[in-house]
Amino acid sequence: MAHAETISLFDGAIIRRAALDSIAKLNPITLMRNPVIFFTEVISALTSFVAAEDALKHQPYGFPLVIAIWLWLTVLFATFAEAVAEGRGRARAESLKRARSETMAKLLIDPRDRVIFKPTPAPDLRQGDIVLVEAGDIIPSDGEVIEGVASVNESAVTGESAPVVREAGGDRSAVTGGTHLVSDWLVVRITADAGSTFLDRMIALVEGAERRKTPNEIALNILLAGLTLIFLIAVVTLVGFGHYAGTSFSIPVLAALLVCLIPTTIGGLLSAIGIAGMDRLVRFNVVATSGRAVEAAGDVDALLLDKTGTITFGNRMASGFYPASGVAERDLAEACALASLGDDTPEGRSILALARERYSIAPQRPEGAAIIPFSANTRMSGVDFAGHSYRKGAVDSVLASLGTQADAVFSEAVARIGRAGSTPLAVAANGRVLGLIELKDIVKPGIKERFSALRSMGIRTVMVTGDNRVTAAAIAAEAGVDDYIAEATPQNKLDYIRKVQGEGRLVAMCGDGTNDAPALAQADVGVAMQTGTQAAREAGNMVDLDSDPTKLIEIVEIGKQLLITRGALTTFSIANDISKYFAILPAIFVTTYPQLAALNVMQLRTPESAILSAVIFNALIIVALVPLALRGVKFRPIGAAALLKRNLLVYGLGGIVAPFAGIKLIDMALGAFNIFS
Amino acid sequence: MTTQGLLYIALVFALVLGAALPLGRYIAAIFEGRVRFLRPVELGFYRLAGVDETRQMTWQAYAVALLLLSLIHFLLLYAILRLQYYLPFNPQHIAGMSPRLAFNTAASFTTNTNWQAYVPEGQISNGAQMLGLAVHMFLSAAAGIAAAAAVMRAFTASALKSLGNFYVDLTRITLYLLLPISLIAAVLLVVAGCPQSFAPFISAHTLQGGSQTIAIGPAALQEAIKELGTNGGGFFNANSGHPFENPNAWTNLLENWLLLVIGFALPIAFGHMVKDKAQGRALMAAMAIILALGCVGAYAAEATGNPLHIAAGVAQSGGNWEGKEVRFGIPASTTFNVSATGTSTGAVDSFTDSYTPLGGAVPLFLMQLGEVSPGGVGSGFYTVIVFALFSVFVAGLMVGRTPEYLGKKVQEKEIKLAMLGVLILTLFILAGAGFSLVTASGVGSLANAGPHGLTEMLYAWTSATENNGSAFAGISADTPLLDYGLGAAMLFGRFAFMIPVLAIAGSLAAKPKLPESAGTFPTTGPLFIGLLIGVIIILGGLQFMPADTLGPLAEHFLLHAGKTF
């Protein structure tokens, strides 16, 4: 997969580019989006002026200068964190951009006439234009196939190099700009203006250029800005208290105290966390149309999962032989195997496999055998040879073809298989019913455990299937889902979503067809398949490039991981404050009240060293946490209470304790170099 | 510390928490309109005031009604205080208050603060005490509880448009909660020796042949509501240290119980309202743990005593007795004062000013935390809700969902309003005290120099802003700077916090109530209680640490180094 390749956390090229970008990001106008770091920049500038003034006045300026440098580094580390996160996204975007190279489109003047076209640059195409795409051409923009069938290589977008079929009508009619036609031709109606195609949006999203703050991020920013103001009040008023106590504080000292207290750690990492969350999704080959959708994924309470392909393998497999009375099971198995000889479907192969496995029956195809293929009319298949005739097929079809009625025992067996959620096939040889084969929808191994993990996170799973109620109930029980929608239609899916949302729950689903569009739009998280129709892709708020419906579960986990990372670093950042008081307060008050040295529990060497150590810790912790912000805190499906306990211990208690050790170590390191001793 | 002393603290907690459980259930019944034993009287009031009992109010209407009532009563009280010379029940012919003192006092009693810049015996008549002050003690307490009721309703269901009817809440709370308990308590206090009289002050001839004027008045009822409504404004200057306010150890225990019981009952009422009793108990537990730490901490500091006395060999047994009544002893005194600052009562039965620096720091810090242990009646509850919202907002993300409290999403609007409230409190306390200490007038009000003086000023602004009302005695509060400044601090501390909180309630009420699941952030149990306490200390207390370090902490270390002020 083209962009599923792993980009190492600290790729050299990305780091070099990010180092440059982080300086450009110091521009106060753009930095204003991040109130805490913007404020830190203002303080840094102020401290620099003080240092410069001291230097010009030939006063000792070493301490103000060092503080100013480390305050600037704090700002720089924060912008660097954002730049690295963006850089990783940009690396992915590069491969996408290559696909968006200048293309000439064949604009049809008359859609019915494929001969006369006007070569037009792709950027000039407008919505509603009709273009012709022929083998070897690059599809100029997003569109809907209105005529033709062709195979398209979509690897530019999906990373999957095997071509897919695109055709007019049905659920495979959407084509994406930037992909190229391998065979045949298509007439395509353009559905997106230049610059707003799927590829353009993807590039913008992974680059983080159009990133808008999500609702939770905005609220968190308000909290951080509020905390900044609170500590500003605390530090500014300290001038008054100090004045009364007969002491005055220098600006660098107050600046150091203030910057250490305000939540610079989370303030510096917040946008990197958001970008990285989006990036994790992209790496997973899922594109979200907004960060809001990723947040919503973490909040989802109910998952609507398609049975076929997600919960079960999607093809039924033979799981048992049920002979009619007076028939040996081995004879039945042999007849089944013979009747399936010409059946190349997975079902047919599974019957042969079962016969081989149970009775070591592996019949060769007899000479001169006539294969009767399955047809929708007869609903039977089989083989005739040497006067023998073997048939297998739908129970009623087989019985009808033989002109017989089923006896009570046989009917009961048919009903029992149906109740178990399986499909019975009748098998006849030479005009006589020999028995039944059970074809079972095999539930994927491990899926039940997965659902129970989801349940412990408070997420209900709902199986959606076109099967009848009896079959659906049986598979639902086997897979361990909480609920199911049998005989699903687009309408009853929509109704179900509305009902669940009415109870105040958030719903996620995936779908691909045009008739899924209303439900995709209604769901809080709607994941459309890349192979789906344009309507479905427009209605959902995420697109899965691999068209793999099982991913819904991982999408929820990625959403949760994003929120957990944000919460963990916020908690850590705020908990850090306690240690900084113990470092800085004794240091700044000790000249007035030497007895307050008793509060210097870390035994930091000198006041200057104590203050500087706290400032250095405060700056370095941002860099130290960049990998965690980018990688995300590991998500464990262990239930909210256990998760909280764990994270609170690690990031809450850890946030209180870690800086004590960190500041002490930095102080010792400074001492080793005789700095401020 | 003695086992007996610790047992006393345990006894107070057992009596209060034991009573809070049934009382909380009863209060929920009052809020839900299920208490009706004085229904005819209740209806009479509605008819008299033209209140439509069935009218439901939005948060805006509720806030306007509350503000309007407070404004009218503020003006009325101001007028009474200015004109008391001409009003009845003024046997001592006490003159009217000065404009600035009347402003300060009116602000103080309207906001449930009961900061007393005046000397009761000399500057306020019995009539003004009863008609002006005691009435406000009921009203301001009922208004606070009503606001709490409005906040509680926000969490009860989905898509609520209304928070209840303020006038109905006010009437029911006064009629069914405050009046009955106060009346019973007043009778008990009278039995124990509190005066309840309209007679002039008594002139007594002492054994030494001199004469002494003994102030009396309708003190018992005022004492009861003073504690029950977490008001704290003493009938006498010595407050609950005065034998007529607090005759003996039993009344001391009763008063201690009164001032805590509603504060602890409200979270229980909340649990009943939201039909999840564990939620209420979790909030109550957090409040109780903070208060218990304060009680034991202050007792430990006082029981240890003054290191200088110990060094000089003149220490009294049992610890630091300075400023304490021998009638009550050290544990009962510290427990009372800590309870009165853990609530926004501000009553005292001993003098915090005379405590050891750390003993005095406990009441100061409990106020700075935002009055949540359990805080003023009503206000303590809604403040703790604000901290609960902060807790789920900060840590709630760690379970992988956007934050919600009791099924209500906590979003931008709520955080903005909650932050606004906390900012206003911080601003008034720190900017007020910091500014006063650089002015000559402010420094002139202080009775002591050094860190002790700083604590006096910081304590005054904290007490006013947090609507506590207790003082680090010694400060001369009747100056233009402090009368107007602290008056403003009381008004802003009350209403500029309460209105954002009502707005939060309005916003939350309108949201859908999401059902609880295994993925929901648990807001009960030890983990949440610990988190809530941590958030209260970090978000509510940390910003005061620099100032506190220069005040009580510096004094503590200086005292141990042999330096006093």
Side-chain angles (χ1 to χ4, degrees), chain A residues 216 220 222-223 234 237 244 298-299 301 456-458 503-504 560 563-564 568 571 574 581 585 595 598 640 644 647-648, chain B residues 390 393 397-403 409 412 430 437 450 453 514-515 517-521 527 538 542-543 549 557-558:
Chain A
N216 177 258
L220 198 53
I222 290 171
L223 178 87
T237 55
Y244 168 82
D299 278 352
D301 312 88
S456 73
M457 290 306 299
E503 295 160 9
K560 287 199 179 294
L563 296 174
I564 292 172
T571 307
I574 293 175
Y581 273 125
L585 288 188
Q595 293 79 4
L644 177 66
N647 288 335
L648 211 51
Chain B
F390 277 132
F393 187 77
L397 284 171
M398 283 196 291
V399 303
R401 285 167 71 99
T402 58
K409 284 269 178 228
E412 183 190 345
L430 289 178
L437 285 173
L514 309 175
S517 77
T520 310
F521 183 89
L527 201 62
I538 290 180
L542 229 46
Q543 65 266 44
T549 307
F557 289 112
L558 288 170

Side-chain angles (χ1 to χ4, degrees), chain B residues 13 21 30 40 48 122 152 169 211 214 250 320 387 549:
Chain B
F13 273 83
L21 294 174
I30 296 174
L48 207 63
M152 290 182 195
D169 285 339
S211 83
I214 298 172
W250 292 109
N320 174 29
F387 281 116
T549 307

Side-chain angles (χ1 to χ4, degrees), chain A residues 598-611:
Chain A
L599 288 178
N600 183 5
V601 292
M602 283 174 269
Q603 302 281 315
L604 304 176
R605 295 169 306 122
T606 61
E608 287 86 1
S609 176
I611 294 168

Side-chain angles (χ1 to χ4, degrees), chain B residues 246-378:
Chain B
N246 193 359
N248 57 45
W250 292 109
T251 57
N252 192 61
L253 182 61
L254 171 66
E255 290 180 13
N256 206 148
W257 183 86
L258 284 172
L259 63 87
L260 289 173
V261 73
I262 292 181
F264 278 116
L266 284 172
I268 298 298
F270 178 59
H272 285 282
M273 297 270 287
V274 298
K275 306 210 164 29
D276 186 351
K277 285 184 251 179
Q279 300 289 350
R281 285 198 294 262
L283 297 180
M284 180 176 90
M287 293 170 157
I289 290 169
I290 296 175
L291 185 67
L293 291 175
C295 284
V296 173
Y299 173 47
E302 293 313 291
T304 308
N306 186 325
L308 300 186
H309 293 173
I310 297 167
V314 296
Q316 291 151 301
S317 69
N320 174 29
W321 279 91
E322 188 189 327
K324 297 182 186 68
E325 282 282 314
V326 284
R327 287 178 292 144
F328 308 135
I330 290 176
S333 298
T334 55
T335 305
F336 190 96
N337 279 20
V338 171
S339 301
T341 44
T343 61
S344 79
T345 312
V348 287
D349 72 351
S350 53
F351 286 88
T352 318
D353 182 47
S354 305
Y355 276 31
T356 60
L358 290 187
V362 170
L364 176 65
F365 195 60
L366 285 181
M367 290 192 289
Q368 289 170 338
L369 287 183
E371 289 289 22
V372 287
S373 57
V377 286

Side-chain angles (χ1 to χ4, degrees), chain B residues 66-67 70 107-113 136 138-147 229-231 344 376-380 382 424-425 428 464-467 487-501:
Chain B
L66 195 156
L67 280 180
S70 300
S108 167
F109 281 78
T110 312
T111 58
N112 194 252
T113 310
H136 272 83
F138 279 99
L139 274 177
S140 64
I145 300 173
T230 61
N231 291 289
S344 79
V377 286
S379 64
Y382 59 67
I424 286 170
L425 298 183
F428 269 91
T465 309
E466 297 288 358
N467 297 149
M490 290 185 264
L491 291 171
F492 276 91
R494 173 80 162 180
F495 298 110
F497 190 81
M498 186 194 271
I499 289 166
V501 168

